[in-house]
């Protein structure tokens, strides 16, 4: 699913109006019907609504939603900025339609009012939509500050008021903190970054049947990884195949006291389906690895830490989990990179070693995949003010170095050498534990060994990692789930993928 800018979304609306044809007021009604249907289906225990509407088209959506839900039996109060002020053409139509109904209250909001709604009242935010270009000011700012103090469920239409669809405002803005955002047709960029996404609550994308030709023919460098994309990448296992059909994967990692990281990466590589899996680790991890991962073959790389990185050329490598930064490891690892030409996966201490001298970045083979968390990214490339600027720096570095960068975050971003960005929306806060990144390294190494392209490996890998975490959290909770629970859930994810593949035949 492409992520479009606010300007592109407005063009999408106009394209739909010109192609169907459908009038703008009919399109607003279509969008409002979708919002009202979702609310009526999911808020059956709440029959009271307080709808706050601006004077633009987002307010028009709110006015239409209020009318539709009133006719469905909801008790609705509507608050507007000032009914004497100029409304957009379509908002004016919906204000008149609303006033033609008896029994529904439409009054001017007062930002100084306390609005002591009871617990069963849902606040609907339809003040500003994707057209907002500056932080809230005046009475709107005061109103949103007031509404944010309320414990009532808050639902924003399209975007939370005060939030730009495309960017992070420079100053500390006032933004309505929604519990749910019912957004139209596609994700907005600000939903996907931690500084701004925290205001959106749970995102519900409503399909309002905007013309598909526009989406197919309009370019965007940003996309959300969705089920359709995953189905186009995943290749089910063939019946007449053997271990040689699925490649050789090697995890390079582990040091004294950090063998567990190599175990987690090895187990996830095995669970992701590599034909043969190896672990290059120091002798001190031999018993642990052979006991915990008997399906993997052990390659000795040293005694307490790795100093020998010799490995067969036909093996796909993932290096870094628990590797450590001992001087001997550092020296031999950098020599290994100088002689290695195939794409590989680099994480954790492999990145920490590289970051000690920026010249080391040029040693990374082209098309390799690096998986830094924010601090590792900062050590590699420098600091940025926020995640938006970090992403743009990652796009530049990916192009300059010919690398795939997997920026680990709540919504992990896959950045390609062409500057494309794919946001992952699977996963949850249960992954905020040591060892989660080691699992991802194993998954990516296994997929790359199985001859998925580098881009496919990144996209499918982060999705698998997150989906397995979602299954694990349902069983164990976000607090108690362990990285090993995520590994165990990979089988369930592959079962889902295979069932979908069979249905699509």
């Amino acid at each position: 699913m492409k992520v479009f800018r606010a300007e592109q979304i407005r063009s999408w609306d106009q394209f739909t109006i010109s192609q169907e044809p459908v009038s703008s007021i009919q399109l607003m009604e279509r969008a409002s019907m979708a919002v009202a249907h979702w609310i009526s289906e999911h808020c059956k225990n709440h029959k009271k609504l307080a709808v706050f509407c601006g004077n633009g088209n987002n307010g028009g959506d709110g006015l239409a939603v209020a009318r539709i839900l009133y006719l469905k039996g909801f008790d609705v109060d509507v608050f507007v900025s000032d009914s004497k002020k100029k409304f957009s053409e379509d908002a004016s139509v919906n204000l008149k339609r609303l006033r033609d109904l008896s029994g529904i209250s439409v009054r001017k909001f007062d930002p100084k009012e306390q609005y002591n709604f009871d617990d069963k009242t849902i606040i609907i935010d339809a003040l500003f939509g994707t057209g907002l270009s500056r932080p809230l000011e005046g009475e709107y700012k005061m109103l949103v500050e007031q509404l944010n103090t309320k414990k009532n469920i808050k639902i924003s239409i399209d975007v939370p008021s005060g939030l730009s669809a495309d960017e992070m405002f420079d100053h500390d803005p006032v933004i309505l903190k929604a519990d749910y955002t019912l957004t139209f047709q596609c994700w907005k960029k600000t939903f996907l970054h931690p500084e701004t996404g925290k205001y959106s609550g749970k995102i519900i994308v409503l399909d309002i049947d905007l013309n598909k030709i526009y989406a197919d023919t309009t370019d965007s460098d940003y996309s959300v990884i969705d089920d359709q994309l995953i189905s186009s990448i995943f290749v089910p296992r063939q019946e007449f195949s053997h271990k040689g059909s699925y490649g050789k994967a090697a995890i390079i990692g582990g040091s004294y006291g950090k063998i567990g990281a190599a175990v987690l990466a090895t187990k996830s590589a095995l669970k992701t389906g590599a034909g043969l899996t190896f672990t290059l680790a120091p002798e001190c991890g031999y018993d642990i690895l052979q006991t915990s991962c008997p399906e993997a073959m052990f390659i000795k790389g040293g005694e307490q830490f790795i100093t020998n990185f010799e490995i067969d050329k036909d093996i796909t490598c993932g290096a870094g989990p628990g590797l450590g930064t001992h001087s001997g490891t550092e020296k031999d690892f950098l020599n290994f990179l100088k002689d290695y030409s195939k794409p590989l996966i680099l994480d954790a201490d492999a990145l920490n070693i590289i970051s000690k001298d920026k010249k080391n970045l040029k040693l990374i083979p082209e098309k390799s995949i690096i998986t830094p968390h924010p601090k590792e990214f900062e050590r590699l490339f420098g600091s940025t003010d926020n995640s938006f600027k970090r992403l743009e720096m990652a796009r530049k570095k990916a192009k300059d170095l010919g690398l795939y960068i997997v920026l680990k975050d709540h919504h992990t971003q896959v950045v390609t050498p062409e500057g494309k960005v794919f946001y992952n929306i699977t996963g949850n806060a249960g992954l905020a534990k040591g060892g989660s990144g080691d699992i991802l390294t194993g998954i990516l190494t296994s997929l790359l060994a199985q001859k998925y392209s580098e881009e496919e490996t990144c996209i499918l890998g982060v999705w698998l990692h997150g989906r397995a975490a979602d299954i694990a959290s349902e069983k164990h909770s976000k607090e108690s789930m362990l990285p090993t629970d995520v590994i165990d859930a990979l089988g369930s994810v592959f079962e889902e993928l295979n069932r979908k593949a069979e249905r699509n035949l």
Side-chain angles (χ1 to χ4, degrees):
M1 178 189 293
K2 294 176 183 176
V3 177
F4 289 124
R5 302 186 308 275
E7 180 183 354
Q8 291 175 304
I9 293 168
R10 288 191 290 274
S11 297
W12 198 356
D13 287 343
Q14 292 304 312
F15 185 86
T16 301
I17 290 167
S18 67
Q19 291 296 309
E20 288 203 17
V22 60
S23 68
S24 61
I25 190 67
Q26 288 171 330
L27 188 58
M28 181 177 284
E29 188 76 2
R30 186 190 297 178
S32 301
M33 287 289 291
V35 171
H37 177 74
W38 190 92
I39 292 173
S40 64
E41 287 294 310
H42 293 86
C43 304
K44 293 180 179 179
N45 295 327
H46 299 76
K47 283 298 182 180
K48 293 184 179 180
L49 304 175
V51 187
F52 289 83
C53 301
N55 292 22
N57 282 347
N58 191 249
D61 292 330
L63 294 166
V65 167
R67 167 175 46 83
I68 296 164
L69 290 175
Y70 173 74
L71 294 174
K72 286 178 176 285
F74 283 81
D75 182 1
V76 181
D77 288 319
V78 177
F79 302 85
V80 296
S81 167
D82 188 342
S83 59
K84 295 180 182 179
K85 287 184 179 179
K86 185 177 181 180
F87 282 69
S88 71
E89 183 177 345
D90 291 340
S92 296
V93 171
N94 274 311
L95 181 61
K96 182 180 185 305
R97 288 176 177 176
L98 196 63
R99 283 183 165 158
D100 287 342
L101 297 174
S102 60
I104 189 166
S105 167
V106 180
R107 59 191 176 97
K108 183 182 184 301
F109 66 68
D110 182 355
K112 296 179 182 179
E113 189 174 335
Q114 291 302 306
Y115 294 113
N116 294 316
F117 303 121
D118 64 36
D119 293 342
K120 293 295 184 181
T121 300
I122 294 176
I123 295 172
I124 307 294
D125 162 37
L127 295 171
F128 289 96
T130 57
L132 188 69
S133 59
R134 63 180 185 273
L136 295 181
E137 300 172 342
E139 63 179 5
Y140 287 106
K141 178 180 178 181
M142 293 171 63
L143 174 64
V144 169
E145 287 175 331
Q146 172 66 231
L147 295 180
N148 277 342
T149 67
K150 304 303 174 186
K151 295 182 179 179
N152 302 73
I153 292 173
K154 302 177 190 68
I155 299 176
S156 288
I157 297 177
D158 210 11
V159 297
S161 290
L163 182 67
S164 164
D166 303 328
E167 61 188 357
M168 179 179 175
F169 291 130
D170 290 337
H171 304 292
D172 187 21
V174 172
I175 301 170
L176 188 125
K177 198 170 192 323
D179 296 289
Y180 298 89
T181 296
L182 308 184
T183 198
F184 300 133
Q185 209 66 49
C186 67
W187 284 71
K188 279 59 178 181
K189 187 177 179 181
T190 48
F191 298 167
L192 295 157
H193 286 259
E195 298 92 345
T196 48
K198 63 185 179 182
Y199 294 103
S200 304
K202 184 174 177 59
I203 303 295
I204 309 296
V205 179
L206 300 176
D207 186 349
I208 59 171
D209 201 25
L210 295 181
N211 193 286
K212 299 295 189 294
I213 294 174
Y214 182 92
D216 292 340
T217 58
T218 302
D219 290 333
S220 175
D221 287 333
Y222 303 91
S223 298
V224 163
I225 300 171
D226 58 12
D227 290 349
Q228 183 178 357
L229 178 57
I230 293 301
S231 294
S232 71
I233 292 172
F234 174 65
V235 179
R237 233 166 166 81
Q238 299 300 309
E239 292 300 328
F240 291 94
S241 58
H242 51 83
K243 62 187 179 185
S245 305
Y246 301 104
K248 299 177 182 180
I251 300 301
I252 302 174
S255 56
Y256 184 80
K258 296 181 180 179
I259 298 300
V263 170
L264 292 172
T266 301
K267 281 188 172 183
S268 62
L270 289 163
K271 278 281 192 176
T272 307
L276 289 171
T277 301
F278 303 81
T279 309
L280 193 159
E283 177 71 20
C284 65
Y286 176 80
D287 290 338
I288 298 170
L289 283 158
Q290 290 285 264
T291 301
S292 59
C293 308
E295 302 90 346
M297 287 167 276
F298 183 87
I299 302 173
K300 180 180 174 180
E303 299 299 329
Q304 301 291 308
F305 47 85
I306 300 175
T307 55
N308 181 0
F309 289 84
E310 289 185 14
I311 200 154
D312 291 345
K313 298 296 183 183
D314 62 342
I315 298 178
T316 299
C317 298
L323 185 64
T325 56
H326 186 276
S327 59
T329 300
E330 179 180 331
K331 176 184 175 182
D332 288 310
F333 176 65
L334 293 175
N335 286 331
F336 163 74
L337 286 181
K338 289 176 184 176
D339 296 332
Y340 197 85
S341 58
K342 286 178 55 180
L344 75 167
I345 289 82
L346 298 172
D347 181 37
D349 284 331
L351 298 179
N352 291 330
I353 290 171
I354 291 168
S355 69
K356 291 183 179 182
D357 187 336
K358 296 296 186 287
K359 294 178 182 178
N360 294 334
L361 288 166
K362 295 182 178 180
L363 298 178
I364 304 174
E366 284 192 3
K367 295 190 175 181
S368 288
I369 300 167
I370 64 173
T371 63
H373 58 57
K375 281 295 182 184
E376 289 167 343
F377 182 86
E378 183 178 324
R379 287 193 286 268
L380 284 166
F381 301 116
S383 62
T384 55
D385 294 335
N386 55 62
S387 67
F388 289 85
K389 292 182 179 178
R390 181 171 65 236
L391 176 58
E392 291 313 303
M393 181 184 283
R395 293 179 70 203
K396 182 179 185 304
K397 297 300 182 181
K399 288 180 180 179
D400 291 346
L401 297 168
L403 301 178
Y404 292 83
I405 301 178
V406 176
L407 272 176
K408 292 186 285 197
D409 211 328
H410 178 65
H411 292 305
T412 290
Q413 299 124 52
V414 172
V415 185
T416 74
E418 296 77 31
K420 295 286 187 180
V421 177
F422 297 88
Y423 290 93
N424 183 49
I425 56 173
T426 60
N428 58 76
L431 285 170
K433 294 185 176 75
S436 297
D438 303 319
I439 296 169
L440 179 59
T441 298
I443 292 171
L444 295 171
T445 306
S446 185
L447 292 174
L448 193 60
Q450 293 173 62
K451 307 306 179 187
Y452 285 97
S453 72
E454 291 79 14
E455 182 173 303
E456 292 169 340
T457 290
C458 293
I459 293 170
L460 180 56
V462 298
W463 184 90
L464 283 169
H465 186 237
R467 181 66 189 117
D470 290 337
I471 293 173
S473 70
E474 290 172 6
K475 184 176 181 180
H476 301 285
S477 81
K478 295 173 186 176
E479 292 79 8
S480 293
M481 61 182 269
L482 297 173
T484 47
D485 297 323
V486 178
I487 295 171
D488 291 341
L490 283 169
S492 297
V493 182
F494 281 112
E495 285 180 353
E496 288 180 356
L497 289 174
N498 279 292
R499 284 196 297 270
K500 289 179 182 177
E502 289 175 2
R503 288 197 297 269
N504 291 333
L505 290 176

